[in-house]
Amino acid sequence: EEIGQVITYLAATGAQVGLLYNFGRIKLEFKRVLPPKRVQEWHKHLYRSIWTPPGMSLPPIETIHPDAPIRFSVISQPSESAPIRLSVSPSVDDPSAYASSGVSIDSGNRAVDLMRDTVRSTYGPEVLAGIGAFCVLFSAAALKHMADPVLVASTDGVGTKVKLAAQAGRYEPIGHDIVNHCINDILVQGARPLFFLDYIASSKLDPEMVAAVVKGIAAACREARCALLGGETAEMPGVYQPNEFDVAGAIVGVVDRANILPRSDLQPGDLLIGLCSSGPHTNGFSLIRKLFADVPLDTVLPELGIPLADVLLAPHRLYLQSLISNLKYVKALAHLTGGGFLENIPRVLPDNLGAVIQLDSWPMPPLFTLIQQRGNIATEEMYRVFNMGIGMIAVVAPEHAANFRSAIPEQTFIVGELVRGDKRVILK
């Protein structure tokens, strides 16, 4: 059984050499390694355990000549076929029994086939092993050229925005959401992304849906020059409701220790410069869904001028390109995600500083005005839940503000300043 397991692994990965670690014994028992005098005696045992891709089969054991060497020509491209994104095990005596429980291995394999090329389009030479392996390998050789490299990691989800995506049948934007959200979160430390991993779970695996989400993830990774190394697709009937799914991701980036944000020289008078959001991003959707529950997603509301789905499912913006080359002007960054202005700005402030936000200093997107009116929501609550049209805030010294704003390839707004205080945000 142990030898069969190793041979199966070699066949599935296309490797020519393997090593069996025999744990739990006082010493290596060489007699267990190759007990038969003739290797061909393994054939009848291996046939019970060799994995074959869907639609392929091994030749009948009777047709194999006893002196013929073992070959695995049944798998032309082993690593291309290995089903590595399923969280379920194919070692079931009766595959139909597993399918009857609500889990389809074939659907998982099809999802892998649909997304493989998309994922590999994000690879650079630093990716040593990605999709098709049991884990991922990423070369850190480039970090040797940094003075003091620090790895920065973050993980997040998309929240209940996935319910609207499922309702509208639009899955690709969700892929952009999870990547851009995670990249923005490590950007506030001054880090650039290295690689990304995703997790997609559903009640019943829809290969086309998974492929659409991963297509969005891969497109966002390519835009950020970030490798999508791999991920996990889980089919869990009974855990998720029918037609529902969830998406999460984890990112690893790097920053030189001397460039970590926030810096220690924050002081009263520093300006808060806002970069526009593309909509609600990935926050506040439980409230949004409640307020618009009776409005079809294809409705064109006069306040918005375009279908509601287009506004609500607009992907979370990526701020990497605008900011990464201009961080020399920046003392701190605040990504306005869950918690809006009131919760996120204090995360980058020392205990002796607060912030004042001028509410009339940028044009309010009509969606947020509509949300406030439909829900009769207090202004302070709006700024605690939503980004209100500003997705990222840079803290910049007044003397550097002009240079910073001219270097940013988009319109920015001075939305407030730092003041002496106790890490609270004041709305004016």
Side-chain angles (χ1 to χ4, degrees):
E1 291 178 352
E2 292 171 339
I3 294 171
Q5 183 181 22
V6 175
I7 296 293
T8 301
Y9 176 82
L10 299 182
T13 61
Q16 297 181 359
V17 178
L19 177 62
L20 172 63
Y21 285 90
N22 196 348
F23 291 101
R25 294 183 176 272
I26 298 176
K27 62 181 180 178
L28 177 65
E29 297 182 24
F30 69 91
K31 65 182 181 181
R32 295 175 55 85
V33 179
L34 297 175
K37 296 181 179 179
R38 296 173 55 178
V39 173
Q40 284 69 28
E41 294 180 29
W42 291 354
H43 274 305
K44 59 180 180 290
H45 304 293
L46 291 177
Y47 261 52
R48 296 181 303 181
S49 55
I50 293 179
W51 176 84
T52 57
M56 305 180 76
S57 61
L58 293 167
I61 185 67
E62 296 81 8
T63 64
I64 300 178
H65 192 278
D67 294 325
I70 293 179
R71 291 288 184 268
F72 297 102
S73 58
V74 64
I75 302 177
S76 57
Q77 290 180 308
S79 62
E80 298 288 313
S81 302
I84 52 82
R85 294 183 59 91
L86 265 183
S87 64
V88 299
S89 170
S91 58
V92 181
D93 293 335
D94 182 4
S96 63
Y98 208 11
S100 67
S101 71
V103 178
S104 172
I105 296 173
D106 290 340
S107 294
N109 291 336
R110 173 167 170 73
V112 175
D113 291 338
L114 290 173
M115 72 180 73
R116 180 178 289 108
D117 291 342
T118 301
V119 173
R120 286 182 173 168
S121 69
T122 69
Y123 289 178
E126 66 278 358
V127 179
L128 305 182
I131 189 169
F134 287 92
C135 58
V136 294
L137 301 177
F138 187 92
S139 172
L143 305 189
K144 294 188 295 185
H145 302 293
M146 302 177 68
D148 190 0
V150 176
L151 294 179
V152 183
S154 180
T155 186
D156 217 316
V158 180
T160 58
K161 189 175 183 178
V162 296
K163 293 182 72 70
L164 287 180
Q167 183 180 343
R170 299 187 186 183
Y171 301 107
E172 190 171 335
I174 292 295
H176 290 264
D177 281 323
I178 187 59
V179 173
N180 293 347
H181 188 145
C182 287
I183 291 178
N184 291 339
D185 277 350
I186 66 169
L187 179 61
V188 301
Q189 301 285 167
R192 59 178 177 85
L194 293 175
F195 57 85
F196 187 84
L197 298 165
D198 66 78
Y199 175 82
I200 304 172
S202 64
S203 59
K204 182 176 178 57
L205 193 58
D206 179 346
E208 283 70 23
M209 178 274 286
V210 174
V213 175
V214 174
K215 181 179 179 182
I217 291 174
C221 285
R222 286 195 302 271
E223 182 182 354
R225 296 184 179 181
C226 172
L228 173 57
L229 290 189
E232 172 76 353
T233 304
E235 187 172 37
M236 297 189 291
V239 176
Y240 291 91
Q241 294 298 318
N243 302 318
E244 294 193 352
F245 74 103
D246 195 17
V247 178
I251 193 166
V252 173
V254 65
V255 61
D256 227 323
R257 185 182 292 269
N259 298 327
I260 292 177
L261 297 178
R263 305 192 195 282
S264 59
D265 58 347
L266 293 170
Q267 59 186 6
D270 286 342
L271 299 179
L272 304 180
I273 300 178
L275 282 72
C276 292
S277 68
S278 55
H281 284 177
T282 53
N283 299 105
F285 276 89
S286 295
L287 177 56
I288 288 173
R289 289 188 302 105
K290 177 181 178 181
L291 296 177
F292 292 97
D294 59 342
V295 182
L297 291 177
D298 58 356
T299 302
V300 180
L301 296 172
E303 297 90 339
L304 304 178
I306 59 175
L308 181 62
D310 293 352
V311 178
L312 297 182
L313 294 176
H316 195 128
R317 259 204 69 185
L318 178 66
Y319 296 96
L320 180 70
Q321 296 91 334
S322 294
L323 291 174
I324 194 67
S325 60
N326 297 302
L327 294 181
K328 59 185 176 182
Y329 301 116
V330 175
K331 292 185 176 183
L333 289 172
H335 185 202
L336 301 190
T337 56
F341 286 75
L342 302 186
E343 304 293 339
N344 286 296
I345 294 175
R347 297 168 68 177
V348 302
L349 300 180
D351 291 339
N352 64 332
L353 291 179
V356 173
I357 298 295
Q358 299 291 339
L359 300 185
D360 59 350
S361 57
W362 73 92
M364 182 69 61
L367 173 64
F368 297 106
T369 303
L370 183 61
I371 289 173
Q372 186 169 15
Q373 292 172 349
R374 289 181 69 91
N376 192 26
I377 303 170
T379 297
E380 182 173 337
E381 181 71 5
M382 288 294 295
Y383 282 81
R384 186 185 299 274
V385 176
F386 300 105
N387 62 55
M388 305 302 286
I390 298 292
M392 183 74 78
I393 288 181
V395 182
V396 180
E399 61 270 24
H400 294 147
N403 289 337
F404 174 76
R405 298 184 71 189
S406 63
I408 300 296
E410 62 181 90
Q411 187 177 17
T412 60
F413 303 90
I414 297 178
V415 300
E417 64 177 349
L418 297 187
V419 296
R420 297 194 184 279
D422 55 357
K423 301 185 71 170
R424 286 188 295 177
V425 175
I426 301 171
L427 305 176
K428 282 192 175 182

